[in-house]
Amino acid sequence: MINVTKTYLPNKERYKQYVDEIYANGWITNNGPMVRELEKRLAEYLGVKNIVLVANGTLALEIAYRTLDIKGFAITTPFSFVATTSSLVTNGILPIFTDIDSHTLNIDPKNIEKLITPNTSAIVPVHIFGNGCEVEVIEQIAKEHNLKVIYDAAHAFDVRFKGQSILNYGNISTLSFHATKLFHTIEGGALVINDDDLVEKARYLINFGIENPESIPHLGTNAKMNEFEAAMGLCMLDELESINQKRKEVYEIYQKELDSFVEFQKQNENSTKNYSYFPVMFENEKQLLKVQTALNKKEIFPRRYFYQSLDTLDYIEPKQICKISRDISKRILCLPIYPELENETQFRIIQIIKEVL
Ligand SMILES: *Cc1c(COP(=O)(O)O)cnc(C)c1O
């Protein structure tokens, strides 16, 4: 069975060494040495100032909103994984959806300004499939209207914009280190905090709001990463270069072979790729379903990322309509891409798609 992705498991001996270390010092959670080491190494690797590791990418978003005191409305994209929106709703913030650009699939900055009201306190864009948003335009809008910007950068691990980490834009960027993501810690996530004076607050919030054993000034939660997860991250970091090289090879084969058959996502020229997804757009949903059925018959399971468009979620009131996002979500499919995908399998996938089209 071939799925859209396959969790990468790093060298087992290396992981065992870390586990031995954890057993030796008996510290398994609560900001242990492995978590601290991973924070340090990730900050260096990514080229960012402050990293706070957390239990998952959804909690990273929630902690980001709470750290920045986001209230009222947040302008966000309807074309993303559901956690981008559900994390807002959970925190009592109303998502105001602004439609996407039909080619880049990111929030279209042209649509943001007309949605701003006195109740708006934030913009929550997503670098979808790792494609960098128009970060400079968004920054300008946020400045003019005194809004905070939180990037859901779950897909943008190690993406660079004009030579520096794209995570350095906005007030906070959040990452997901779930097993299906490019870089993973089994379950996990992180906040990249650009305002130095907010780091301490975020650290209290992930640990029940406790500042010291006798003072609990914040309303916090439990969002801590544990040592076994951090150890997995340390192992992944050691192998990232070769993982990325293999992903790049798979990506480039799809690109070359499918060029005249389907539409690709338009890349932001100022941002680098991380080869984490390979989305393709068909002419319509019917065509997509035909391809999907043909692949499924051969035990190949691409995923309809992202379906449904988030402006169609039942629990969002008032109802909003983003036409472009709804249209794209019906005709986009993410093809299998992971380091161990065999050449022969990939060409089989390509052949099936070509035959159907
Ligand atoms: C994976 C993902 C999340 C959620 O991260 P988890 O670690 O699974 O909680 C949030 N936003 C986007 C865009 C994602 O792809």
Side-chain angles (χ1 to χ4, degrees):
M1 193 168 79
I2 307 291
N3 284 316
V4 66
T5 190
K6 186 174 169 202
T7 296
Y8 184 85
L9 287 170
N11 184 288
K12 204 198 239 168
E13 292 312 312
R14 189 86 188 99
Y15 190 65
K16 278 185 185 158
Q17 284 171 10
Y18 280 112
V19 170
D20 286 345
E21 252 184 81
I22 296 170
Y23 268 72
N25 65 31
W27 190 343
I28 63 173
T29 189
N30 285 15
N31 201 27
M34 301 270 170
V35 164
R36 279 176 278 144
E37 186 183 339
L38 184 59
E39 283 183 344
K40 197 159 147 270
R41 278 189 60 192
L42 270 176
E44 267 166 35
Y45 183 88
L46 297 170
V48 301
K49 276 192 297 180
N50 309 298
I51 283 222
V52 175
L53 289 171
V54 292
N56 60 60
T58 306
L59 280 167
L61 284 164
E62 294 195 20
I63 299 289
Y65 311 143
R66 294 202 208 175
T67 301
L68 292 161
D69 277 322
I70 306 303
K71 301 250 158 39
F73 303 168
I75 295 174
T76 186
T77 171
F79 189 73
S80 181
F81 183 58
V82 65
T84 313
T85 283
S86 60
S87 59
L88 286 166
V89 178
T90 308
N91 283 274
I93 305 158
L94 180 68
I96 303 294
F97 296 110
T98 175
D99 217 340
I100 55 170
D101 178 289
S102 63
H103 302 289
T104 67
L105 310 181
N106 279 328
I107 217 168
D108 188 341
K110 276 201 309 292
N111 302 331
I112 294 178
E113 247 170 336
K114 52 182 179 263
L115 292 172
I116 298 172
T117 72
N119 281 327
T120 312
S121 60
I123 310 175
V124 182
V126 182
H127 305 296
I128 206 76
F129 305 131
N131 191 21
C133 288
E134 296 291 332
V135 286
E136 286 169 342
V137 185
I138 292 169
E139 187 165 284
Q140 193 55 38
I141 297 170
K143 218 166 161 188
E144 270 167 35
H145 297 272
N146 198 20
L147 304 175
K148 302 282 194 260
V149 182
I150 300 105
Y151 283 103
D152 179 344
H155 301 174
F157 187 84
D158 205 19
V159 167
R160 301 191 155 258
F161 186 89
K162 292 192 175 174
Q164 67 156 317
S165 173
I166 202 162
L167 307 171
N168 288 329
Y169 287 85
N171 299 87
I172 295 180
S173 288
T174 65
L175 294 162
S176 164
F177 300 151
H178 182 256
T180 54
K181 303 297 206 276
L182 184 83
F183 169 87
H184 79 88
T185 59
I186 311 171
E187 292 271 2
L191 293 97
V192 173
I193 303 179
N194 292 317
D195 308 346
D196 291 335
D197 38 351
L198 290 176
V199 179
E200 215 177 31
K201 182 175 176 191
R203 290 201 184 279
Y204 298 142
L205 290 180
I206 67 173
N207 188 33
F208 312 99
I210 298 172
E211 234 180 71
N212 66 56
E214 278 146 41
S215 170
I216 313 169
H218 309 281
L219 172 63
T221 185
N222 179 3
K224 302 185 300 287
M225 177 180 279
N226 69 52
E227 292 291 279
F228 294 91
E229 290 170 333
M232 181 59 77
L234 290 167
C235 291
M236 287 292 293
L237 263 187
D238 291 337
E239 295 181 43
L240 264 185
E241 215 158 299
S242 73
I243 295 174
N244 291 348
Q245 182 53 36
K246 287 189 195 125
R247 280 183 174 276
K248 182 167 186 270
E249 285 164 24
V250 174
Y251 187 101
E252 285 172 353
I253 289 173
Y254 277 137
Q255 204 173 32
K256 181 161 167 280
E257 292 295 324
L258 292 173
D259 189 29
S260 51
F261 292 86
V262 290
E263 187 189 340
F264 301 140
Q265 178 184 30
K266 184 173 170 229
Q267 279 295 126
N268 185 329
E269 285 167 8
N270 290 314
S271 100
T272 60
K273 292 179 191 160
N274 67 7
Y275 311 102
S276 47
Y277 297 88
F278 200 89
V280 295
M281 288 175 270
F282 298 94
E283 277 169 18
N284 49 49
E285 189 173 23
K286 207 173 136 204
Q287 206 180 53
L288 174 145
L289 292 172
K290 264 200 217 162
V291 170
Q292 191 183 29
T293 307
L295 289 168
N296 288 173
K297 265 190 205 148
K298 304 282 179 193
E299 295 285 294
I300 298 160
F301 298 95
R303 273 291 290 270
R304 295 186 72 178
Y305 287 150
F306 287 98
Y307 186 85
Q308 59 195 107
S309 180
L310 301 175
D311 57 320
T312 66
L313 286 171
D314 280 338
Y315 54 77
I316 307 285
E317 292 284 353
K319 296 295 169 215
Q320 304 170 44
I321 298 174
C322 295
K323 286 205 184 99
I324 300 172
S325 175
R326 287 185 184 198
D327 170 53
I328 297 290
S329 70
K330 285 193 183 114
R331 57 188 181 89
I332 193 164
L333 201 59
C334 279
L335 302 180
I337 182 166
Y338 48 88
E340 293 146 311
L341 184 65
E342 281 170 14
N343 216 250
E344 192 195 312
T345 312
Q346 190 184 5
F347 275 99
R348 203 145 45 84
I349 296 168
I350 290 164
Q351 194 52 39
I352 295 168
I353 296 172
K354 283 180 175 175
E355 271 164 21
V356 174
L357 297 176

